[in-house]
Amino acid sequence: MEYWVSVDTPISRAPYLYLSDEIYRPGAIVKIPFGKQKELGGVVLGKKTEPSEQGENSLKLKSIIGIHEEFFQITENEFQLFDSIAKYYCYPVGKFIFDCLPSILETKKKNNKVEVPKSYVCRSNAPLLPLNNVQQALLSSMLEKLKLGHQKFLLHGITGSGKSIIYVELMKQVLRTEKKSVLFLLPEINLTSQFLDFFSSLLGSDIPVFTYHSKVTPKQKFILWKHLQKDHAPCVVLAARSGIFLPQSTTSPFGLVILDEEHDSSYKQDDRCHFHTRTVALKRCELEKSTLVLGSATPSLESLYLFDRPELKENVYRMQTKYAPTTPPELKMVTPVLRKDPLWPLGEVVFSSINETLSAGGQVLVFANKLGHAHSLYCSHCKHAFECSACSIKLTYFKNKNILKCHGCEFVMSAPRLCPSCGSLDIYHHGFGTEKIHELLKENLPKENILRFDREALSTPTKVEGALNDFHSQKSRIMVGTQMLAKGHNFPNVQLIVILGVDHLLHFPHFRAQERVWQLLKQVIGRGGRRGQASKVLVVSNEIGPIIDQLPDEFDEQFLKMEMMLRKSLKFPPSSLSAQIAIYDKDSSAAADQMLMVKKILEELKSQKKIQLDFRGPRPTFVEKSQNYFGQVMELFSPMENNGGEMQKVITYLQNKISLKGGARFYVDIDPEHPL
């Protein structure tokens, strides 16, 4: 028999024919010879059904070696999910499956000992919070619909409205009554610890709670994967985006999948297959007839567009009041101080508010959108800019480590004492980041223990948990951080929030810019006033004024409707499907020439009326050179109602048509979150 096999290799997209006398089902993980390699992983796609062409000699075909026993076998349903998602994102399904399997599977078993995954042991018992009238009515409606089977829900609850309590009650129903498991997905692993405590203390000690994310060891991932495939009692798995592909047993499948903070762009994979966790979750729950809950205080326009369908409109649930009633935060614009001000970039107004808040027993959050001490350095004399040699990116200055760092390729060099071009000692520090603000606060508030909450300062989950514990216990009363602090944290005693460095986000050349800034500001502001007391928000900005008026909770629906109308009028997502295709080459002219060939092909297809999609470009990528590769990009748009897979068909055609040379790369991103 002849089988089509998708190979675990980046060098070829097309499946290959292999021979075998054994019977293999679609999705079987097998060993195969490939090229000069004696053994490589592959995924069986199915038997060859079409007749062989005249003159074709099957004796030239290589044979499947056998089942790959060092890798998990996936079920036919799981293969259907992988296959569907791989086709949607124009990615080889074999490579995709092997990308998702735990890496420890490549290690041979040393013994037959049965290992059990580590479940979380609760360290405290949270009080059972009573439901308010809004929550009770909402929950009753959701539970009634759960009885009908597979459901999709959108939970739009403002920050502090008590979405987590609704999550717990739904989880109890699925775990206790339906005897099924729950998959709870988070955009950031630093949120894991607070949800572990919260869920395990309310669900009971007999419900095991597991975690699955990049900081979990390969061995523990392997053990959990193996455990979930076998018969087991109902459990909860807290996971980052990769957890959406975890297996399940027939005895306790995932009856409920919750995507918390569903708007967050971290749910989009930024390398290999560029899948969005929300898209995968929708497909998985459809295939497995399980229930999906999308939750957010600032729902994405994509989710609102989906739930505007007649059959889903009644499954949108809104919670527009906080669980602990409080007055709305006081929003105030503060004019940025000049660079020569000794308190730059905070200024006297901000410091005065910080001191008032601390005197009143409150805590302070200071948000900045950049890392480091300075965005970049350049010579004041000859204007030499310190850039990465491999990327067209200015290097960020970190004073504590005395280094310059590229956030594109992670290149690091010692910070210069003088200009390499002219020898001047006058090196100008442009811009600021969390390290600069942290230093300024420490200098002016020496008695305070001030935390830095960013990925440079907190590189492990243990450090993140330690910082959060210090802030919750008020050992530290001021926290300076990036977007890490805006994502779902519950800080009951925060009474002042300072926001800096967000002006440039509004000028970002992308149709999502307005939505992104609105979501970011709403999420940051939502960290305050959660215990019932009023909070104050200072936005240090010259340009962000108009959007400030849209931040109070009562204007949410108005902002989202206006943004949706604007997108529709411009034929931008979510009313259309978008994609980015790019060619990267070490020769900038070659990249441009090859992308012009792509444009010519698209123009010919368009003129022949073989395609309906629109396209723009080509143009250089915003980071024109990345890791010594120059990029050229085009944007494709297809009407959602007329798409029918046309986007994927066109991109697959281009992938097969274009022949790249000299290590050039063809890049595809369906539903891009950020522009290239």
Side-chain angles (χ1 to χ4, degrees), residues 535-585:
S535 61
K536 184 176 181 179
V537 180
L538 302 180
V539 183
V540 182
S541 170
N542 278 321
E543 305 178 40
I544 212 164
I547 206 170
I548 288 286
D549 299 332
Q550 303 292 325
L551 293 177
D553 295 327
E554 60 267 26
F555 293 113
D556 285 3
E557 197 167 342
Q558 175 183 313
F559 171 83
L560 291 166
K561 281 184 177 179
M562 289 178 62
E563 188 69 10
M564 188 75 81
M565 287 174 58
L566 180 62
R567 298 274 190 91
K568 285 182 179 179
S569 67
L570 296 172
K571 298 181 180 179
F572 282 144
S575 60
S576 67
L577 180 66
S578 70
Q580 292 180 140
I581 56 174
I583 290 177
Y584 288 93
D585 198 297

Side-chain angles (χ1 to χ4, degrees), residues 481-608:
T482 55
Q483 294 188 32
M484 277 177 63
L485 62 74
K487 300 185 179 185
H489 295 290
N490 182 15
F491 301 131
N493 198 41
V494 168
Q495 296 177 24
L496 174 66
I497 296 170
V498 181
I499 299 173
L500 302 104
V502 292
D503 286 0
H504 70 285
L505 295 178
L506 280 175
H507 299 294
F508 199 65
H510 197 241
F511 61 84
R512 298 189 197 276
Q514 193 84 353
E515 179 190 14
R516 287 281 183 265
V517 174
W518 178 79
Q519 289 171 336
L520 177 61
L521 293 177
K522 290 278 292 184
Q523 291 289 337
V524 175
I525 290 169
R527 298 314 107 205
R530 296 173 76 95
R531 187 181 278 173
Q533 74 270 38
S535 61
K536 184 176 181 179
V537 180
L538 302 180
V539 183
V540 182
S541 170
N542 278 321
E543 305 178 40
I544 212 164
I547 206 170
I548 288 286
D549 299 332
Q550 303 292 325
L551 293 177
D553 295 327
E554 60 267 26
F555 293 113
D556 285 3
E557 197 167 342
Q558 175 183 313
F559 171 83
L560 291 166
K561 281 184 177 179
M562 289 178 62
E563 188 69 10
M564 188 75 81
M565 287 174 58
L566 180 62
R567 298 274 190 91
K568 285 182 179 179
S569 67
L570 296 172
K571 298 181 180 179
F572 282 144
S575 60
S576 67
L577 180 66
S578 70
Q580 292 180 140
I581 56 174
I583 290 177
Y584 288 93
D585 198 297
K586 291 187 176 181
D587 184 328
S588 59
S589 297
D593 291 343
Q594 291 176 106
M595 190 53 90
L596 285 173
M597 289 175 58
V598 172
K599 182 179 182 181
K600 184 178 179 181
I601 293 171
L602 292 173
E603 287 174 338
E604 288 176 356
L605 292 172
K606 186 87 170 176
S607 67
Q608 297 167 10

Side-chain angles (χ1 to χ4, degrees), residues 41-42 103 224 376 423 429 514 533-534 603 605 641:
S103 59
L224 178 60
S376 58
H429 293 199
Q514 193 84 353
Q533 74 270 38
E603 287 174 338
L605 292 172
E641 60 273 16

